Amino acid sequence: MTDRPALRRLGLLTPALATIAVLIGVPLALMFWISLLQKGDSGGVDWASAPSLGNYIRLVWEEDFDGTMIVNTSYLIILLRSVLQAAVTTGLCLLFGLPVALWMAGLSRGQREIMLLLITIPFWTNLLVRNYAWLIILREDGWLSQLVNSLSPVGPVQLLYNDLAVAIGLTYSFLPFMILPLYTVFEKFDWRLLEAAHDLGAPRRRALRRVVIPIAMPGIAAGSLLVFIPCLGAFVTPALLGGGKTLMLGNVIQMQFAASRNWPFGAALSVVLLALMLVVMVAMAIWRNRRVK
Amino acid sequence: MTDSSVVSITAVSKSFGRGTAAIRVLEDVSVEIGRREFFTLLGPSGCGKTTLLRLIAGFETADQGRIAIEGQDVTQTPPYHRPVNTVFQSYALFPHLTVEQNVGFALEEQRLPADKIRTRVGEALEMVRMQSFARRRPAELSGGQQQRVALARALAPRPKVLLLDEPLSALDLKLRKEMQIELKLLQAEAGITFLFVTHDQEEALTLSDRVAVMQGGRILQIGAPHDIYEAPTHRFVADFIGDINLIEAEALPGNTLQLAGGATLSVPHDARGKVTLAIRPERARIAAAGAGHLQARVVHTAYLGTALLHKLALADGGTFLLRQSNLDASPLAMGSSVGVSLPAENLRVLVQ
Ligand SMILES: Nc1ncnc2c1ncn2[C@@H]1O[C@H](COP(=O)(O)OP(=O)(O)OP(=O)(O)O)[C@@H](O)[C@H]1O
Ligand SMILES: [Mg+2]
């Protein structure tokens, strides 16, 4: 009799478990399997090839003309660039998102609802269209370029097709993912705690650091994850605004599946990307657990 | 400003809102609070007690007037540079910090060395008997325990003045009585000036060295509990504190007062025209029916343990409260007719 509730719980969970298995488990397993195989003669996958770690080895070493293995840093550099680009974007989103979220929390109810609507409106437009809009703003005859160049003391500045353009585009795309969790925290924030901090001798910045930020930490962590993780795999923005010169991991993966038609190598890159995200999330979870203790 | 006053508030006014929508919340308030005094602001809800406290703490700025602490003008000083600490009504403990971190918060702001902070936190927690809870978080404490931590946190930096905004109002009656005694002992032990806010007159009278009674943004009377109770200067103060009988009368020349019923009293006064006489239920005397200054009938009697509180219907309308000691040999019976005499020395003549 005692296992009846457990049994029933399992029964109720079955649909959810099945959905996860079919939609997430199977594709992941498939991707991992493909990453161990060889590319087919006319692209795609050679399903008959013997599984090996060759695709992962290719990420770091390549065979020289005489058959010796030499280190190839190009993929490692792209990996590092992607992490950096995602980190910078997360930082920028935090920098812009924190004051906005703080300000929004102080508005009246009606104003807050309008702000929430305004923040979600960009999502009604396709990501591609939004990135093209930035393309128009940032290119040489765009208004921002013209404005910057007319003020620039060091002569004409190129705004498009570089890391800066990608950072701008990514920050723009992902800012709402930072603002919304932060806003949720600040909306519930008990501002009397700020007064208590002042009362106990903490000036504005100290109170922010010792009281507001620590209490807002769950929101900051959630927002950072929501920005960092998708940034790491972003490929539309780097492709359009980076002009193909500044590749990120997402672009390389996309190229393997499309232009190069090397699915197994693309799959291996995807697995690496996934592993990277997993590491970030686990690190975050461990750090948060430590804080709570 | 006298030499011994710690807080000195001079002609302070404060309004909220601008232009025609502005509401005057404090009007020309002046108070001097002495060293080691337990001073209480007492008044009904909305009379401006919290606002006055927030002005002293520095969370609000006065429109007019001057606030000085230990002779130092702090009118424009931000809260984090004022030598006062607040015990908030909601406690406002930091939820992400442990009890000891909460208590040490201000000490860390003062950049004290770690070992010194540890001893001071220990002392503060010992004062409120919360040492064994040092590692807990506020969410893991009961209301009374949170209250103690809030007290320890505000006392740890050794402020010149401790501001307490209805710190006991969230506690149940029994705990509240206990905490009242503890507060009083704590104040004596810490030797710190307490500025206490309450709308509970009994609490104010029990705890305070002096009480300021406020109404509508003004301070009506400042005095020791005994003076406030026995010698109210305003009708509002008399009415607000304890049970009291208010009787309309006409002031005639020659130290004579004439009651509405026609009886006259001889009381020294310098009033003219309509006045209000105030007398406590325990200060009026029972007289034989037909004698005394007022004629009445007993309509209700409440048994208070040590005394009887009679509600009397006056012959000319209105009610009168009369307290009769339990030691009295002949308790008044319900429905019986009595006379009430008003001893001149127990009467207060109020103009307002
Ligand atoms: N920030 C504010 N803006 C506008 N009006 C305010 C503000 N703070 C207080 N008031 C008004 O000032 C008046 C006095 O408020 P205050 O909080 O000082 O009263 P109080 O005596 O502490 O009352 P209670 O016993 O209910 O706490 C009230 O009428 C209140 O509505
Ligand atoms: Mg109040």
Side-chain angles (χ1 to χ4, degrees), chain B residues 147-182:
Chain B
Q147 168 65 66
R148 285 163 210 259
V149 175
L151 258 172
R153 183 178 72 172
L155 283 172
R158 298 184 185 155
K160 300 273 194 285
V161 186
L162 190 70
L163 309 174
L164 305 105
D165 192 357
E166 308 206 23
L168 308 180
S169 63
L171 307 179
D172 64 51
L173 190 65
K174 185 162 175 294
L175 193 55
R176 193 168 172 163
K177 297 275 179 213
E178 280 173 30
M179 283 302 295
Q180 285 179 2
I181 297 165
E182 267 184 45

Side-chain angles (χ1 to χ4, degrees), chain A:
Chain A
M1 288 308 267
T2 48
D3 60 349
R4 276 285 282 288
L7 215 66
R8 201 168 57 204
R9 195 156 51 218
L10 195 69
L12 287 171
L13 276 176
T14 305
L17 291 176
T19 310
I20 290 173
V22 171
L23 294 183
I24 298 178
V26 172
L28 275 180
L30 203 59
M31 189 173 81
F32 187 67
W33 178 242
I34 290 175
S35 78
L36 299 175
L37 299 177
Q38 297 296 310
K39 155 172 117 146
D41 287 337
S42 55
V45 187
D46 178 3
W47 292 100
S49 58
S52 74
L53 289 175
N55 289 316
Y56 293 96
I57 292 168
R58 255 189 75 194
L59 284 171
V60 187
W61 289 280
E62 70 185 351
E63 209 170 320
D64 209 352
F65 299 114
D66 56 1
T68 53
M69 300 297 266
I70 56 167
V71 174
N72 173 7
T73 52
S74 55
Y75 291 113
L76 286 179
I77 287 172
I78 289 173
L79 196 75
L80 196 69
R81 287 177 56 98
S82 304
V83 171
L84 266 179
Q85 189 77 261
V88 167
T89 304
T90 309
L92 284 175
C93 282
L94 202 56
L95 193 70
F96 291 117
L98 203 68
V100 173
L102 270 171
W103 172 72
M104 271 172 66
L107 294 177
S108 75
R109 207 186 159 77
Q111 289 171 319
R112 277 188 293 192
E113 257 146 44
I114 292 173
M115 278 307 298
L116 281 177
L117 187 73
L118 288 179
I119 283 173
T120 39
I121 276 182
F123 291 116
W124 302 359
T125 318
N126 187 288
L127 182 69
L128 210 56
V129 176
R130 282 184 281 151
N131 276 290
Y132 269 112
W134 274 108
L135 197 76
I136 293 166
I137 294 171
L138 293 178
R139 74 178 176 209
E140 246 163 273
D141 57 351
W143 63 265
L144 192 59
S145 277
Q146 303 220 328
L147 183 73
V148 169
N149 282 330
S150 68
L151 298 174
S152 163
V154 292
V157 184
Q158 171 74 288
L159 289 185
L160 201 53
Y161 304 136
N162 52 29
D163 288 341
L164 178 70
V166 177
I168 291 176
L170 287 177
T171 304
Y172 169 78
S173 304
F174 290 112
L175 193 54
F177 294 108
M178 183 63 88
I179 293 179
L180 293 178
L182 284 179
Y183 166 74
T184 318
V185 174
F186 289 136
E187 194 197 12
K188 286 181 296 195
F189 194 85
D190 179 0
W191 294 104
R192 285 171 297 194
L193 295 178
L194 193 64
E195 284 191 346
H198 287 330
D199 189 66
L200 294 165
R204 263 169 234 285
R205 303 245 318 252
R206 297 275 306 162
L208 198 70
R209 231 195 48 166
R210 294 189 67 190
V211 175
V212 180
I213 303 248
I215 295 176
M217 214 20 120
I220 294 175
S224 298
L225 267 187
L226 283 177
V227 173
F228 187 83
I229 299 282
C231 255
L232 213 48
F235 69 93
V236 170
T237 307
L240 278 181
L241 303 179
K245 284 189 301 184
T246 59
L247 286 178
M248 284 177 68
L249 208 50
N251 305 104
V252 183
I253 294 173
Q254 194 253 352
M255 271 163 55
Q256 298 307 321
F257 280 96
S260 318
R261 293 193 49 74
N262 188 348
W263 285 26
F265 189 55
L269 282 165
S270 303
V271 170
V272 168
L273 182 61
L274 261 178
L276 208 65
M277 292 173 177
L278 209 63
V279 166
V280 171
M281 288 179 73
V282 168
M284 205 88 152
I286 290 174
W287 173 74
R288 283 217 1 225
N289 267 340
R290 270 241 310 275
R291 253 172 48 88
V292 170
K293 266 189 215 136

Side-chain angles (χ1 to χ4, degrees), chain B residues 120-141:
Chain B
R120 291 268 291 268
V121 167
E123 283 167 19
L125 284 178
E126 199 182 326
M127 245 193 220
V128 296
R129 293 185 281 112
M130 286 292 289
Q131 307 99 300
S132 48
F133 298 90
R135 311 250 152 172
R136 294 228 199 149
R137 275 170 205 278
E140 299 160 353
L141 300 175

